Amino acid sequence: MGPVSLRVSYRPLRIGWCIEADNLDHFTKAVELSHVFWGGRYNPIIPCSQRELAHTLIKAFNVDALYNVSGTAAVNGFISEFPYLQWPDFHPQLFVERGAGAERQPTLLDVAHPAQHLYESHVDRREKPAIDAAFYSWDPADPLRFALLATCGAYPQKAETGRDYSLLFQKALATTATALAQAEPLPADLFRKLTPNYLTTVELETSLFHHSTREDPGFYYGDSQSFSDLVNFWNLRACDIDLVFFDPAHADRLRPLIDAYSMALRSRPKRHEWSHAITIWQRDRDVSHDFGIFGSGLVVSIFDPIIFNGLNLNPPVKRFVNKAVLGASQVDSIGASVTFQLPEKPFDSDIEVYSQHMVVSVTGPTIGEAMLTPPFIPQLNEYYGRNAYFIYNQARAERGSLGIIQKATSEQLTLRALPFAQVLAKMFGAFGITAKPSPAGLVSARLIDQMGGLQGCRVFKIAGVRSLIKKYSPAASFERTEATTIIGNNDPATHIPRFDRYKSLYIEPRDKRDLKPEDAFLYLLKKGVFRAGLKLACPTCQLDFWITLDDAKSTGQCPYCGIEFNVLPQLRDRNWAYRRSGLLGRDDNQRGGIPVAVTLQQLDTMLGGRLLAYAPGMELKPGPATIEPCEADLVVLASSFPHSGKPLELVIAECKDAGGEITEEDVRKLTKVAEALRESPCDVYLLFAKCGQFTDAEIERCKNARRTLFEHEGEIHYLNNIILLSARELEPYHLYEEAEKEFEIRAHAHTFE
């Protein structure tokens, strides 16, 4: 097919460390393991028995896999609830032995890579290192040991990992261990040092799709022996929030560090006028604490699962720099695929790291009616793996890309494009709804294809074109003058076309500025909507009949009486006669295909590249979800903007022509479908489109589909989840060009909300 442009980046796997709650030994092990791996600071610790928090963390951090740190059956049972986060190898191992007598090797990108990079750029061949690294140690009985571990970092024993990472850190960064005495204050500059915790973050940048309104650096106020406080502290820092742990029981030891860090926070440039100087995080709403040590200008934030709502606290996805590559596409009996060479890696990829894995994040275009970048629905990871890559446990849904787990030595990747309708059916299935393309949808899809794609359907914006198609049945013929008169909506008295509202409509390249009715008719002929022929009369039985241009010859045969006769005498007073052709030649009104095509073309224009998938017509039936069997005329899936609460926008639509009616049954059935998708990663909207005007009764019916947001003092506040588009919105280039003339509303819309 030709070259395909892709964006490719690498990132470390994000592991969710699953542990038993209230077990500080397991917390210690999870933290130590985190410091072995590149990006480890951004891996959440998940207390499995605290189910609301655990589920929230897995969803918020969009982890790639879950690891049982505690090694218990209870944690295994919890992990089994997430079959779409399967370990990407045969066995969930962090370190493996490849052969008898061989040293253990990590299965994920480890910190040896960034340590080597820092050594080469800041330490090697220098009289004095250009970085200020510190490797802190502390007494095993130090009451601040867990907070120090989470802040500075430490490593597991060599017997577990196969490598002495403590020695690796000290040699690479030209430092020695600094012992922190149990009775002495902590160093005031501790927060400025390059520690094992910081090493896990080197060279990683935040994905463009990340957006969080909570930066909020400051202090975590808690108990340094409390499991909940320590887990909260770790997970907040995993959200890329810079925090120092404060335990009031050890205020004297912490004061030099608190004072120095407070001064640094207050002197930093503010990104926003409303940025707070210092944020105090804590696990409850107790306001009796003495915060005097932190000074003035404080704001208190509570760590609660509700803060991970996508708008407030949004954990970042950390990856390496994004690069452009060209892939070679091909089409076979299975579908379209793209093969490409992986760009240069920001880490060593020689034979010594053959056991280590990374994630290759790929962003690619649509190919026909199939996608290389499927929607961000983690529940479909296995489907993506089996169909896009053919390995069921190595694909991961990402916001704006598809992640494929690969060995660090991989050099090439082949991905298959996923058909729109199949992806949408799987998405509905993940939330309890059985879906498949409807017969009407198949007709609409072929109509769009006949017109050359979505934007080729612009000609249907013209009311006269829709009127012409509707007026004449497939068995009826008409002449060009009749066609242009109807398309132009000519004034019956003056015969002047009333076509000004469409004169700027672009349907194909043209030499003149304004579009004319005859231009639209010629375009329809080119697209095979109509075909030319002759209308003849049999001289024997006197019945009229029509023959195509291809079948016309000097001698014709009457289809009714079978008599052959000379056609030439009739040509003198005969003009070409036209009939509907192709899909438009069906005697079923194309099953409503034109309103669907008009609506979809307008939405495609509005979305400006955010359209992920569409299906013109889907049958929806109940699975586990309690919906009524129904048919959606149109389903549209789009990516949302980074600041949105959910990563996807889903539209389920009912589309009618000018004479159609939105019924109470239409509204009721689609409302139940939207309710069934409440827990999906989509903001769900119901769209009612009509190539005419809505009646008052239809508008009242559509109001009943609104979802209640909340009720206050007897007044109901509704969620904005219902969209009505009439001819006023569907015919202009921009949705609200005409509405802008009547109301205070912008002509442009960019999101369904």
Side-chain angles (χ1 to χ4, degrees), residues 98-153:
R98 303 294 188 185
E103 290 187 353
R104 306 190 79 191
Q105 297 285 337
T107 57
L108 312 176
L109 290 177
D110 70 349
V111 292
H113 300 283
Q116 179 67 21
H117 293 179
L118 291 177
Y119 171 76
E120 293 173 354
S121 57
H122 296 288
V123 177
D124 188 25
R125 302 176 185 177
R126 291 175 179 265
E127 183 177 341
K128 182 180 180 181
I131 50 177
D132 190 8
F135 187 82
Y136 292 110
S137 63
W138 45 84
D139 191 290
D142 192 322
L144 290 176
R145 63 189 181 279
F146 300 114
L148 289 169
L149 173 66
T151 303
C152 303

